[in-house]
Amino acid sequence: MNTNNAPPPVGSNQPPKMTARGVNVFYGAKQAIKNVSLDVRADEVTAFIGPSGCGKSTFLRCFNRMNDTVDSARVEGEIKLDETDIYAASMDVVQLRARVGMVFQKPNPFPKSIYENIAYGPRIHGLAANKTDMDGIVEGSLRRAGLWEEVKDRLGESGTAMSGGQQQRLCIARAIAVDPEVILMDEPCSALDPIATARIEELIDDLRGKYAIIIVTHNMQQAARVSQKTAFFHLGTMVEYGDTSTIFTNPSEGRTKDYITGRYG
Amino acid sequence: MADSHGHTVKSFDEDIGQLRAIISQMGGLCEVQIAAAVDALVSRNIEAAEQIVRDDARIDALEMEAEALAVRIIALRAPLADDLREIIAALKMANVLERIGDYAKNIAKRAYAVSQAQPIGPVVIVPEMARAVVGMIRDVLDAYVDRDAALAATVCERDRWVDDFYNSLFRSLLTFMMENPHYITPSTHLLFVAKNLERIGDHATSIAEMVHYAVTGERMAERTKGDDSALFARSIYAIPNTDAPPLKGSPPKGYPAKAPPEEDD
């Protein structure tokens, strides 16, 4: 892929976990992402913010090739996980999505038991040799997602019977069950109440350092709370990227300031 | 703030406007109170002094009002970037202006004691010093209202003049006290008055720093303190701040440019 016209990358101090270079995304003739380059560090939470339709979710979905499922979508440029081009022909997309997990806006547990929701991924990826192994993975994942104490006595109950906040933590537990390296979160709290939101934010903080995390959020305070780096998108371009503390107290771009202070348009 | 457009939520703009108005009003009252207190002191007008002491309650009430409004804005609007910097600055300014009001009140309280004692010459410097201080407060509030970081920076520099006034008065009063023990009581009171004015200058400087940060997002460079009365023992007739670079603009009337004035009566 041609990355000659890619803007210089941002956020690169240490070897990044994932790199995007000169990424363009088209839906048919319409360009949704325009020449974006960005590094994602392993030990940081990166937040994507911007108004609806700015392309932040589209860009997020490039990182585990979720846009492949959209027929009209076309991705140009280069995205690497460590040193591997994830858009290379040789890339196994199922393996990629095990390494780069995803959590969606609406909790989407499988209509199966809590146990099966977690066990499904490790089973198809062959991560557990026997029942004891699998029990260990299920417990460990639920513990890391802060859900174990709440569900340990009802692992056989349906995942869809839980509260929304529990379902979302179940989805996070499911994502981490396959031991991913990166977790993508697309507005993971927008369907949750403040307490459930706080739990997820606490969880993100706990998971930071173990996984590279990219989160798309419409909640400015949430971005400010959970992330170390923030990227602001507008009309398909990345307007500003920097330390979260700087973006929210003293952004350098007028468009960023207008957006985060509620002056847009 | 010099924005091309306001917030999407109009009442947010109204809240900020109201907070600015309260702070400006506090500043205006402080200017009046300082000038009136010094006037009462010099003219030995006890009634006026008592009125000034009573009027300080208005500044105190405005501080409470500003604080309540700032807390409300933070709670309801969750301000970010320049909005956040401005609200925090206003919260701190309200506190500092209240303190400035207390200094003015303290000067007024001393008017009675000074009126009971023998008149002394150096008192004539006090109104000049007060004018310099009031000018600083006026300009720093203009800088706040006009979002003028450059004007705020000049206010900081001008504090050196106030410090020089203070050092000069300190030396004069000390000489007076050494000459005649009857001068000790009025000299001590005047010394406190001068110290109050000098502290007001320091507070105006700290407001200037708040304004500079609120407007630019950058901290102002650290300033060196001009009050050298603590070094008095080393050199009783040292010319104040000889190694400091000259300031732009003309110093205020009565500014002690050379050695402190010798008293001849």
Side-chain angles (χ1 to χ4, degrees), chain A residues 249-251, chain B residues 80-90 213-217:
Chain A
T249 57
N250 193 15
Chain B
L80 287 171
D82 56 347
D83 291 337
L84 177 61
R85 299 198 306 265
E86 168 159 8
I87 308 298
I88 297 298
Y213 179 70
V215 173
T216 65

Side-chain angles (χ1 to χ4, degrees), chain A residues 81-135:
Chain A
L81 173 59
D82 293 327
E83 287 303 307
T84 316
D85 181 357
I86 67 168
Y87 281 89
S90 57
M91 173 57 69
D92 177 345
V93 177
V94 174
Q95 283 301 323
L96 170 68
R97 290 180 192 151
R99 293 175 70 190
V100 183
M102 189 150 188
V103 177
F104 297 86
Q105 179 175 358
K106 251 189 104 189
N108 54 352
F110 304 136
K112 289 174 178 292
S113 70
I114 293 169
Y115 186 96
E116 277 306 310
N117 261 280
I118 309 295
Y120 182 78
R123 186 175 299 129
I124 61 166
H125 288 288
L127 298 181
N130 51 45
K131 175 84 168 73
T132 319
D133 270 8
M134 189 59 88
D135 288 352

Side-chain angles (χ1 to χ4, degrees), chain B residues 31-252:
Chain B
E31 290 173 36
V32 170
Q33 288 279 87
I34 297 163
V38 168
D39 196 46
L41 180 92
V42 174
S43 62
R44 298 168 166 249
N45 184 339
I46 307 307
E47 273 175 35
E50 284 169 348
Q51 185 59 43
I52 291 156
V53 172
R54 283 194 295 274
D55 284 350
D56 183 55
R58 289 168 64 200
I59 298 178
D60 295 355
L62 284 171
E63 187 211 4
M64 309 267 273
E65 208 181 311
E67 193 178 300
L69 181 57
V71 166
R72 189 184 134 84
I73 292 173
I74 291 169
L76 297 193
R77 317 287 182 191
L80 287 171
D82 56 347
D83 291 337
L84 177 61
R85 299 198 306 265
E86 168 159 8
I87 308 298
I88 297 298
L91 193 58
K92 292 165 75 178
M93 282 170 71
N95 183 259
V96 172
L97 287 168
E98 190 276 333
R99 192 83 193 95
I100 289 175
D102 286 348
Y103 282 125
K105 180 169 78 172
N106 188 273
I107 292 171
K109 279 181 177 171
R110 289 185 193 279
Y112 178 78
V114 169
S115 74
Q116 300 304 300
Q118 199 170 358
I120 51 170
V123 75
V124 298
I125 302 179
V126 174
E128 309 289 357
M129 186 175 178
R131 259 190 287 281
V133 166
V134 167
M136 286 173 74
I137 294 177
R138 188 182 52 238
D139 286 351
V140 83
L141 280 147
D142 284 351
Y144 167 69
V145 171
D146 299 337
R147 326 310 301 156
D148 187 342
L151 180 59
T154 66
V155 170
C156 282
E157 291 190 2
R158 277 152 57 191
D159 188 44
R160 205 196 295 155
W161 284 333
V162 174
D163 289 339
D164 289 348
F165 267 120
Y166 174 72
N167 294 332
S168 165
L169 253 172
F170 180 85
R171 293 186 175 89
S172 302
L173 291 169
L174 217 59
T175 315
F176 256 71
M177 289 190 268
M178 283 191 277
E179 274 174 11
N180 185 344
H182 287 114
Y183 289 147
I184 287 177
T185 299
S187 292
T188 306
H189 283 297
L190 274 191
L191 199 53
F192 276 115
V193 167
K195 188 67 198 172
N196 285 347
L197 290 171
E198 189 271 333
R199 289 299 296 147
I200 293 172
D202 288 346
H203 283 307
T205 305
S206 91
I207 292 178
E209 287 165 355
M210 294 171 198
V211 169
H212 189 276
Y213 179 70
V215 173
T216 65
E218 308 285 335
R219 300 260 170 226
M220 208 184 282
E222 192 62 31
R223 169 189 85 98
T224 46
K225 188 81 176 70
D227 167 14
D228 65 350
S229 59
L231 305 174
F232 184 72
R234 200 176 60 190
S235 163
I236 200 166
Y237 288 122
I239 296 168
N241 281 311
T242 42
D243 41 355
L247 293 178
K248 278 178 249 139
S250 44

Side-chain angles (χ1 to χ4, degrees), chain A residues 7 13 16 51 84 91 97 139 141 173 186 193-194 229 244:
Chain A
N13 303 336
T84 316
M91 173 57 69
R97 290 180 192 151
E139 179 175 342
S141 303
D186 194 352
D193 71 40
K229 292 287 195 299
T244 298

Side-chain angles (χ1 to χ4, degrees), chain A residues 221 248-249 257-258 261-263, chain B residues 3 5 7-8 78 81 83 85:
Chain A
Q221 270 66 37
F248 286 103
T249 57
K257 189 197 80 176
D258 285 352
T261 58
R263 285 191 176 86
Chain B
D3 289 305
H5 44 258
H7 293 90
T8 306
D83 291 337
R85 299 198 306 265

